[in-house]
Amino acid sequence: MKNKIKYLYLVVLVSGFVACSDLLEEVPVSQASPQNSFKTEANAKSAIVGVYSALQLEGVYGQKQLEFSTDETYAGSKVPRSGFNLYTFTADNIEVVLPIWRDHYKGINQANQAISKIPTIEMDLTERNCLVAEAKFIKALLYFNLIRYFGDVPYKEAETTSLNDLNIPRTPVAKIYENIIKDLEYGLVHLKVKTAGLAGHATQDAAKTLLASIYLTRGSMAKRDNTGDKGIADFALAAKFSKEVIDSNRYRLCLYFPDAFIVQNKNNDEIIFDVQFKAPGLGVGSTIGLNMGIPSNASGVDNLSNGGSQASIRACHYHQYYYETADSIRMQWTNARILINVATGKFTRVSAISTNPPTSAAKFRRYPVRDPAFALKTSDYDVNWPIFRYAEVLLIYAEALNETSGPTQAAVDALNMLRSRARNTNTGGVHRDILPRTLTLQRSTGLVNLTLSNPLVSTPAAFREYIDLERTRELSAEGKRWFDLVRWGTLKSTLRGINAKCTAKILEKPPVEVPAITTTKWANYWNGRNEEWNLITGAVQDFHMLLPIPNNERLANPSIGLNNPGYN
């Protein structure tokens, strides 16, 4: 407990230092004197806290990854981000694209410094190697993000020590994959095994999960592009590492889907690796509650009272139709149609044909308020950001098995764990979110366990389509969907094809949530939503499967060369 308190104190100090620095400039470490002292074990641990704090930056896991318009979420019209929500952004975009690039490299620079300096410190060898492994894990994670965002990017072996170190050409994606896999293999040897005191730290299982995600992504892209063995070897490795995490028996699904996300259940047994936030008033809180959650009947900052949200990141109108009718807990927790009365703290349900407020991306809601500190008008929130949950490990395992062996009982069993959890309901309804839980397993619903004879999973193609939907049902609003659509090569077809896919369901029945409306009124509303969605996705092209290299960076580093295809 003493070490945990010490680490939290360091997080506050280091994060405060980062927050006060100029996030638009990568500072050479020779100029960052507070981090230049590497003499003691305390210095080493302080440096690692600095590496972890980079995950909180806006362009990493602070917010920007949620501003991609997909069939899950999109930024509202008041948050255009220079065309980012409409797929009309360019290489001059400084609201989203530039922070993603710069903040990731800021974290890589901090990791490189720790990797090079910590081995010079005289301290326990096992502990020293573990700290280096943690830095390598973060570096691997950041580079995995960068190559998925931008393709070939400059790979930095060491920290930036002067302005002369900034002129580096782009490194091929294949080489970067080799480097990050090597760093994670180091972690398999030197990282610690999960314990209660390691919340927020990289562990052996976190390294295995990141490896599984890397191999799944690389395999999917090989299959997409019809290259090599079409990803078979990588899919096998994805299945191997995800299975090792499953077999460790160190993780389990929360019995109730919302419990994987509520602030009262932070660091639960479903979390494999997350970004730690602490609030209020410490300078290391999250803006998740500000940008995603339940809107209120107030305006301006007043809408944050009693757990309200600005709802600048919204749920796609059509995402609810990806859920089976009986899958109402996941659907309503993820895509809510309720409105908070800031005066009373109670909520009312919103008509399905109302556009104000919109459907809420509500998975990380601040409502209902149980801590008086969060009843205030504050954007500072205490919820952590999940990078890897056990649920995703099950999905990786099932998808990888299908790609190597077709539908198998083991793959179906993994999916049934998610379906079974989704059947658990709580007394009082999902939005009242009553504690303590009184759960009831709905055995008579349509959300029954799958069998190999079920048409949903009976063939490799059907299984693949089910995984597509199950990943978005389970992981919606967690920053995964754009990456998924890109690795499958379905970004353009999915976004442009939503109307055709969903029209039949929409005309068949209105949304699940009440008050009920007539099919005629729903069809009229749907026609209006068609126009809006076509505006959002009409410009999406295949080249949007990569972001542009920021023009600012190309000017600062001419060795980068030409931009990605489709961008000037």
Side-chain angles (χ1 to χ4, degrees), residues 40-58:
T40 67
E41 181 174 344
N43 296 150
K45 290 184 176 180
S46 178
I48 291 301
V49 173
V51 175
Y52 280 111
S53 72
L55 299 178
Q56 299 175 346
L57 297 177
E58 279 291 286

Side-chain angles (χ1 to χ4, degrees), residues 242-262:
S242 55
K243 183 63 160 55
E244 288 181 7
V245 176
I246 294 170
D247 289 345
S248 73
N249 293 318
R250 286 187 280 267
Y251 305 90
R252 64 178 181 83
L253 296 177
C254 295
L255 294 178
Y256 186 52
F257 180 71
D259 283 344
F261 313 102
I262 64 172

Side-chain angles (χ1 to χ4, degrees), residues 446-467:
L447 203 63
V448 297
N449 282 353
L450 299 170
T451 64
L452 284 172
S453 61
N454 190 309
L456 290 174
V457 294
S458 59
T459 67
F463 200 107
R464 195 173 296 119
E465 183 176 354
Y466 182 89
I467 286 290

Side-chain angles (χ1 to χ4, degrees), residues 36-87:
N36 257 355
S37 177
F38 285 85
K39 297 179 180 179
T40 67
E41 181 174 344
N43 296 150
K45 290 184 176 180
S46 178
I48 291 301
V49 173
V51 175
Y52 280 111
S53 72
L55 299 178
Q56 299 175 346
L57 297 177
E58 279 291 286
V60 185
Y61 291 105
Q63 176 183 340
K64 300 306 181 186
Q65 81 278 8
L66 293 173
E67 294 184 3
F68 292 80
S69 289
T70 70
D71 52 344
E72 287 183 352
T73 61
Y74 66 98
S77 59
K78 294 182 180 179
V79 195
R81 303 299 190 194
S82 294
F84 204 81
N85 61 336
L86 302 176
Y87 285 94

Side-chain angles (χ1 to χ4, degrees), residues 382-405:
D382 207 28
V383 70
N384 293 340
W385 181 257
I387 297 179
F388 291 121
R389 294 192 287 121
Y390 184 58
E392 186 174 3
V393 174
L394 297 173
L395 287 163
I396 291 173
Y397 180 59
E399 181 180 353
L401 279 184
N402 183 59
E403 295 300 336
T404 56
S405 309

Side-chain angles (χ1 to χ4, degrees), residues 316-382:
C316 171
H317 306 289
Y318 323 114
H319 191 259
Q320 61 194 315
Y321 288 99
Y322 288 164
Y323 295 86
E324 297 174 51
T325 301
D327 199 357
S328 61
I329 300 301
R330 287 196 299 184
M331 191 278 287
Q332 293 186 65
W333 187 261
T334 302
N335 304 328
R337 295 204 64 90
I338 62 174
L339 184 68
I340 298 171
N341 185 317
V342 296
T344 65
K346 297 180 179 180
F347 72 86
T348 57
R349 295 185 182 273
V350 180
S351 170
I353 59 175
S354 170
T355 58
N356 187 24
T359 305
S360 304
K363 180 175 279 185
F364 299 98
R365 62 185 70 186
R366 303 191 308 142
Y367 181 84
V369 175
R370 296 187 174 94
D371 185 337
F374 296 114
L376 304 176
K377 305 167 187 176
T378 176
S379 61
D380 200 5
Y381 194 32
D382 207 28

